[in-house]
Amino acid sequence: MTSVAPTNADLALGTPSASQPGNSPRKFNFNLRESGIYLAFAAIVLLFTILTGGDMLAPQNISNIIVQNSYVLILAIGMILIIIAGHIDLSVGSVVGATGAFAAVLMVNHNVPWPVAILATLIAGGLIGAWQGYWVAYFGIPAFIVTLAGMLLFRAVTLTILGNRGIGPIPDDVRTLANGFTDGYLGNIGLGALGGADLFTLIVGILAVAAIAWTQWRQRAGRLKYNQAVDPVWLFITKIAVAAVVVMFVVVALARYHNLPWVLVLLAALIIGYSIYTNRAVFGRQIYAIGGNLQAATLSGVKVKSVTFWLFVNMGVLAAVAGIVFAGRLNQAGPTAGNNAELDAIAAAFIGGAAVQGGVGKVVGAITGGLIMGVINNGMQLLGAPSERVMLVKGAVLLAAVAFDVYTKRRAGASR
């Protein structure tokens, strides 16, 4: 029989071919493009830890990074999906301000019960997303133009609602969601030299590590079942061990300070839900198909207009969630709320591995990118750096991330 030479695509994907004896898979699948973001994150944290004399990793500071950047991380989840589909949303910062103002007016000025006010605000955010999604999906106007107009329009709405004043105070239950912490349900436990720590928080951390290990093991088993490329066992175990150490370090720090922030619980639910949805659901795979090759997706039966429309609706709802969290954190809705939040969300997506052309990106990557932006902000503040220097560093990091994306694509193209 005539043997068939494997193609570069086969080798890259670990696809078995006739020339591979026994159809054995490639055992090494290190992806610099995906792993580089985590290495960069570790390097940035280490750098600021050294420069701040360890203050960066103090329990209170770790908690502050999560709480202060929570609304940007929420926006980054929606933004990564928009960018994967090949679009962009410049209006999310203004939508954060408008929805936060809307919620504050209902709760403070009209004494609407906070659950009803939150539900109404989420619906308002969805309607804003539907408005923009219609012009992009069904009318054919580029998302850049539609959302640029939305950025101006909804900032004007915010100023119309609030004028030049803030509205507050926000009800305690909403403030607890943004700034509060879980109660010590099971009491404290001694950790030797580290002192006492909340037992419930530690148990949650252990369960999170177990879930990570189980999920990664299942993915590896699935790849082996279909003869796809996998990491060597030593590298697979090392990755899980490193993830476990990082998670438990953060969890112990939170357990020693004020337990789990409620906004972290909300974030975890969103991250898990959207990760499963993008990886397992048909709609999630269609998003990647549209961003990867629009014509092929259309020919294969993907309802491109419908998917695009609902992506913007989803972005509007998440912007409303971020608006509520931001207002709760500040205990008021202000006319400048959400300023430049769209830039941070877009930067988080691209730093987290999203491709400029679309079709590539992960929710976890966007969260990592958002945390990098948060660490830079926090670290520069601890060092007393002026705002212009913070912007300089963030701009340089964003440019480096996009340049790395372009470089890896060119290198992959040259190798083919």
Side-chain angles (χ1 to χ4, degrees), residues 96-184:
V96 166
T99 53
F102 180 71
V105 167
L106 291 180
M107 291 184 290
V108 178
N109 291 357
H110 298 286
N111 296 317
V112 175
W114 69 266
V116 178
I118 287 179
L119 178 60
T121 303
L122 296 181
I123 293 174
L127 292 175
I128 290 173
W131 162 264
Q132 299 193 116
Y134 167 77
W135 293 109
V136 176
Y138 295 104
F139 207 80
I141 302 177
F144 179 87
I145 302 299
V146 172
T147 57
L148 179 60
M151 180 174 67
L152 302 174
L153 175 63
F154 298 115
R155 183 58 60 186
V157 170
T158 304
L159 294 174
T160 301
I161 294 175
L162 299 177
N164 292 319
R165 61 186 179 86
I167 294 180
I170 303 298
D172 291 341
D173 292 306
V174 179
R175 291 171 55 196
T176 298
L177 172 64
N179 286 325
F181 300 85
T182 58
D183 295 329

Side-chain angles (χ1 to χ4, degrees), residues 140-303:
I141 302 177
F144 179 87
I145 302 299
V146 172
T147 57
L148 179 60
M151 180 174 67
L152 302 174
L153 175 63
F154 298 115
R155 183 58 60 186
V157 170
T158 304
L159 294 174
T160 301
I161 294 175
L162 299 177
N164 292 319
R165 61 186 179 86
I167 294 180
I170 303 298
D172 291 341
D173 292 306
V174 179
R175 291 171 55 196
T176 298
L177 172 64
N179 286 325
F181 300 85
T182 58
D183 295 329
Y185 302 113
L186 302 177
N188 280 13
I189 185 174
L191 294 178
L194 296 178
D198 178 54
L199 179 59
F200 176 77
T201 302
L202 295 177
I203 293 175
V204 170
I206 293 172
L207 293 176
V209 169
I212 291 172
W214 179 74
T215 302
Q216 293 301 312
W217 177 82
R218 283 200 61 186
Q219 290 181 357
R220 178 184 172 85
R223 285 181 174 273
L224 287 173
K225 180 179 179 180
Y226 291 99
N227 209 34
Q228 295 179 344
V230 294
D231 293 327
V233 175
W234 66 268
L235 181 59
F236 174 74
I237 295 176
T238 300
K239 286 182 176 181
I240 293 179
V242 171
V245 170
V246 171
V247 170
M248 288 309 301
F249 181 87
V250 173
V251 166
V252 169
L254 295 175
R256 291 174 58 202
Y257 179 56
H258 272 322
N259 309 339
L260 284 176
W262 276 112
V263 74
L264 178 59
V265 177
L266 172 63
L267 269 171
L270 291 175
I271 293 169
I272 294 172
Y274 276 91
S275 295
I276 294 174
Y277 195 64
T278 53
N279 292 326
R280 303 289 184 182
V282 173
F283 187 88
R285 306 314 303 169
Q286 289 176 339
I287 298 172
Y288 285 95
I290 292 172
N293 191 320
L294 178 59
Q295 292 182 342
T298 304
L299 293 173
S300 64
V302 176
K303 297 180 180 179

Side-chain angles (χ1 to χ4, degrees), residues 48 51-52 377-390:
F48 279 112
L51 293 177
T52 60
N377 281 329
N378 182 268
M380 300 293 277
Q381 289 175 2
L382 291 177
L383 294 174
S387 59
E388 64 269 17
R389 193 175 303 170
V390 177

